[in-house]
Amino acid sequence: MGRYTSRTAAVTSAGIRIASLFFLRWAALPPLLPIIYTLFAIYVPAFVSGYATESKYALVDEVDVVIKEDILNKDEVANGSTDEAVIVEEVDVEETAAVVQKPTSPLSPLLRGTSSPNSILLTALTFLINCACVAMVTDMVYAPRWFHPSQDLSFARVGYVSDTEAKLLIREPDQSKMPITVQIHIKDPQPPFDNPTWQSAGGVRFTTNETDYTAVVTIPLTHSKQRVYEWTTSNNHSGEFVGAPKPGAMPELFDGKFTFLSTSCIVPRLPYNPLDHPLAFPGMKHLAKILPNLGAQFMLFLGDFIYIDVPHRFSDTVENYRQKYRQVYASPDWPAVGQNLSWIHVLDDHEISNDWDSNSTGVYDTAVDPWHHYQTQVNPPEAKRAGSAGHLSRKGATYFSFVQGPASFFMLDTRSYRSKNSEPFDSSEKTMLGETQLEDFLEWLRRPEPKGVKWKIVASSVPFTKNWRVNTRDTWGGFLSERRQILEAMWDAGSLGVGVIILSGDRHEFGATAFPPPKDSKWSDSVTVHEFSASPLNQFYSPIPTYKQTDDEDVELKYINTGNSKFGVITIEKLAEGDQSSLKYTAYIDGVDKWNTIVLSPTVAQPAAKTGGGSFWDRLRGL
């Protein structure tokens, strides 16, 4: 009996330790949680039973064998009558049985997870090691929910900032703080034209549970020049933001460089450290170290701001979804990256449920309730409606567009309108964007941009490339017909002198991919589309490479799978000579600059000047 219980304890102990290490330090996969608890439930009685039934003593059976030799014909040999001695061997066997105390080996019980019958200290220490594994898993999963529901969270953050206004999201459940007033002023004003005094910028009269006590203050920016502004609220929140350059104009600050960031995917306290705050994000610490030297306009966050199902899905209630958002904003690491930087967001699956492809059915409305309150309320404007010449917004859209400085942006919603992932990859009826969003997106690609805008930036929560070989169906690789239609529109946009860049996340890896037009086609190589996919900001990564180029359509530029924290820094500059623009992409892995590249905007061949014929104005236009 004791032998079997000891073996059971050893096997379950190994399972607990391996699964806990994997869960805590690499990936907090939800299926591991019940496995760990089940193993522990088996381990405890097996361990106790083994200690209770295993004897402290062992029966030692010692056998002594004595061999004696004797010569039978000693006399004959002595008197010389024979030369051969007859030898007889006598074997004497003596067996002794003794009960002795079992020897104590410190390493064996500690490594195997079994009891030591002769050492209560080793037994207790061994048991406590496995208890500690389960306790740390419990701490990671339940501590945020038990001790940090963040229902009383009060905070303010900067959302979308244009050249004419800035949006400030405020959460304040304490109605005694009402009304809340907001003031701003120019940081480091330049006399005599900059006003250094604090000015009222609006306020909030009350908040209710209907919006989880959030409200938006839209701050008008009336200065004709780009400036850095400081803001403060009457409920003791403060920060700063950078006004955006006008459409088509390069920044007047930061040496004329237009810089922003992109990343996605955050889960707190991974890798797990028992000394960390339950809402800590180590990846945000990496970002905070880099931010002060960037002069960034905003963070373009590409989805999975929360993981409703990681490390454990507690319920499908709206409160559970809201709590996840509050916990991110309640993190002690948030102010360093969010108090002085504009964050804008797209939607992905883990804000709803893993690999979501059920449109607006099921839990969708519950899931997007807090996403609207905490993210889209302060996002850029809804995308322009196709057929309105870029003047009318698509009311109620969950995708967005805006122009800022040298770039025009379109933020896709790849979850709310998509077909089922299980449909054939090359089906012409399969869509990720839905008919209306696709129509609006294609018109945005075709639409001429203001003078000075050299880039169209597409924000997609999932990768555009089909080079990711794991769960390809959830990426654009599973929607090949629609992808081809979009690629051709992107190459057409490049033919007008505007470069197209796709920024994506989701894969927990970094990949840079080029999409050159087909050889001998109507498009030149200069219109090649580039994608930079960087994630997570704080999540697990795949130790096994999952990205592989298999054809000439999706060309690998760089692939990095390792690193728990990845984000990209995009910097656009105007070239000193000519009308071209450069876009530099830098990939940061665990806070270190690991790779960068520079892409130039396409050039447009100018038509030859007419030498004769036509009117004076025709000839003038041809010069």
Side-chain angles (χ1 to χ4, degrees), residues 357-622:
D357 61 356
S358 298
N359 304 141
S360 57
T361 64
V363 76
Y364 179 86
D365 287 339
T366 299
V368 298
D369 169 270
W371 187 67
H372 287 310
H373 298 325
Y374 284 96
Q375 316 294 53
T376 65
Q377 278 197 108
V378 289
N379 251 5
E382 296 150 329
K384 302 302 180 184
R385 192 173 69 191
S388 68
H391 297 303
L392 301 178
S393 296
R394 177 72 68 180
K395 295 301 181 185
T398 52
Y399 47 95
F400 312 90
S401 66
F402 64 99
V403 182
Q404 200 167 105
S408 177
F409 295 81
F410 199 103
M411 301 164 62
L412 296 171
D413 179 351
T414 65
R415 292 295 170 184
S416 300
Y417 314 101
R418 70 160 64 193
S419 304
K420 288 292 184 181
N421 289 340
S422 57
E423 294 181 20
F425 285 14
D426 57 355
S427 170
S428 61
E429 302 298 321
K430 193 176 184 182
T431 177
M432 182 177 287
L433 302 183
E435 182 181 354
T436 301
Q437 183 179 193
L438 178 62
E439 185 181 4
D440 293 344
F441 180 46
L442 292 176
E443 178 159 310
W444 172 81
L445 285 171
R446 292 190 292 262
R447 186 181 305 137
E449 297 293 348
K451 183 180 179 181
V453 174
K454 297 299 179 181
W455 301 96
K456 286 182 181 284
I457 310 293
V458 180
S460 172
S461 67
V462 294
F464 200 73
T465 180
K466 59 181 183 294
N467 285 351
W468 261 289
R469 299 300 162 181
V470 175
N471 200 22
T472 308
R473 71 177 195 166
D474 193 54
T475 72
W476 281 97
F479 298 76
L480 295 177
S481 179
E482 188 172 70
R483 190 186 95 127
R484 181 68 184 188
Q485 183 182 3
I486 291 171
L487 262 179
E488 292 179 356
M490 289 177 172
W491 292 328
D492 285 340
S495 299
L496 300 177
V498 179
V500 179
I501 301 293
I502 303 168
L503 299 176
S504 63
D506 183 69
R507 294 283 96 178
H508 300 192
E509 300 171 290
F510 171 76
T513 311
F515 305 92
K519 294 180 180 179
D520 303 323
S521 67
K522 66 177 182 178
W523 300 286
S524 68
D525 287 341
S526 67
V527 304
T528 296
V529 175
H530 293 81
E531 177 183 27
F532 302 104
S533 185
S535 65
L537 180 58
N538 200 86
Q539 244 286 28
F540 74 87
Y541 66 89
S542 172
I544 302 172
T546 65
Y547 178 105
K548 184 180 180 181
Q549 178 182 338
T550 58
D551 55 37
D552 294 332
E553 295 179 353
D554 297 30
V555 180
E556 176 184 345
L557 302 177
K558 186 66 176 178
Y559 170 63
I560 303 173
N561 60 306
T562 57
N564 289 105
S565 177
K566 305 180 184 75
F567 57 86
V569 175
I570 302 94
T571 299
I572 299 175
E573 295 184 72
K574 184 177 181 180
L575 299 184
E577 298 180 0
D579 200 34
Q580 271 189 298
S581 172
S582 69
L583 183 147
K584 180 179 180 181
Y585 186 94
T586 305
Y588 283 86
I589 313 296
D590 291 334
V592 178
D593 178 351
K594 287 292 187 179
W595 181 81
N596 63 75
T597 190
I598 295 177
V599 182
L600 299 180
S601 62
T603 56
V604 180
Q606 297 296 327
K610 296 181 181 180
T611 57
S615 67
F616 169 78
W617 293 110
D618 289 335
R619 294 196 299 274
L620 184 62
R621 283 195 293 268

Side-chain angles (χ1 to χ4, degrees), residues 22-264:
F22 186 94
F23 188 91
L24 294 169
R25 297 296 299 173
W26 189 63
L29 302 180
L32 286 178
L33 190 61
I35 292 174
I36 292 170
Y37 286 144
T38 300
L39 288 172
F40 189 66
I42 298 171
Y43 170 77
V44 171
F47 182 88
V48 173
S49 177
Y51 179 73
T53 58
E54 188 174 356
S55 175
K56 298 180 180 180
Y57 303 95
L59 181 64
V60 178
D61 191 9
E62 295 182 358
V63 178
D64 292 331
V65 179
V66 179
I67 300 176
K68 297 179 181 180
E69 294 182 350
D70 194 12
I71 301 175
L72 291 178
N73 55 347
K74 293 179 182 179
D75 294 340
E76 288 83 351
V77 173
N79 59 26
S81 61
T82 180
D83 293 332
E84 295 182 3
V86 179
I87 300 174
V88 177
E89 291 184 349
E90 181 182 348
V91 180
D92 186 14
V93 179
E94 184 178 348
E95 183 177 3
T96 305
V99 177
V100 298
Q101 191 173 28
K102 290 181 179 179
T104 300
S105 173
L107 287 180
S108 178
L110 291 176
L111 293 177
R112 294 178 67 240
T114 56
S115 61
S116 175
N118 292 320
S119 174
I120 187 64
L121 179 61
L122 282 177
T123 298
L125 186 58
T126 301
F127 186 74
L128 287 175
I129 289 174
N130 288 336
C131 287
C133 290
V134 176
M136 287 187 288
V137 168
T138 303
D139 179 43
M140 182 180 184
V141 174
Y142 293 97
R145 186 173 181 85
W146 290 343
F147 306 118
H148 301 277
S150 305
Q151 292 173 332
D152 59 349
L153 171 68
S154 173
F155 83 101
R157 78 166 183 91
V158 181
Y160 173 66
V161 179
S162 70
D163 59 307
T164 60
E165 66 178 26
K167 296 180 179 180
L168 190 68
L169 177 74
I170 297 176
R171 184 182 194 270
E172 181 54 76
D174 186 355
Q175 299 306 298
S176 68
K177 302 286 181 67
M178 300 297 169
I180 297 172
T181 57
V182 178
Q183 291 186 315
I184 68 164
H185 80 150
I186 297 174
K187 183 180 180 181
D188 301 324
Q190 302 175 15
F193 301 107
D194 291 352
N195 184 353
T197 60
W198 287 91
Q199 297 179 330
S200 176
V204 178
R205 290 190 302 160
F206 62 90
T207 57
T208 68
N209 186 52
E210 183 178 352
T211 61
D212 204 20
Y213 302 101
T214 61
V216 176
V217 175
T218 300
I219 303 171
L221 305 179
T222 57
H223 203 291
S224 60
K225 301 291 186 181
Q226 186 185 26
R227 291 290 184 264
V228 178
Y229 297 88
E230 292 181 314
W231 57 270
T232 184
T233 68
S234 58
N235 60 336
N236 296 322
H237 300 296
S238 61
E240 63 183 56
F241 61 85
V242 182
K246 294 181 180 346
M250 295 303 293
E252 300 172 46
L253 307 173
F254 315 119
D255 299 322
K257 298 177 181 179
F258 181 80
T259 300
F260 64 99
L261 305 99
S262 74
T263 187
S264 72

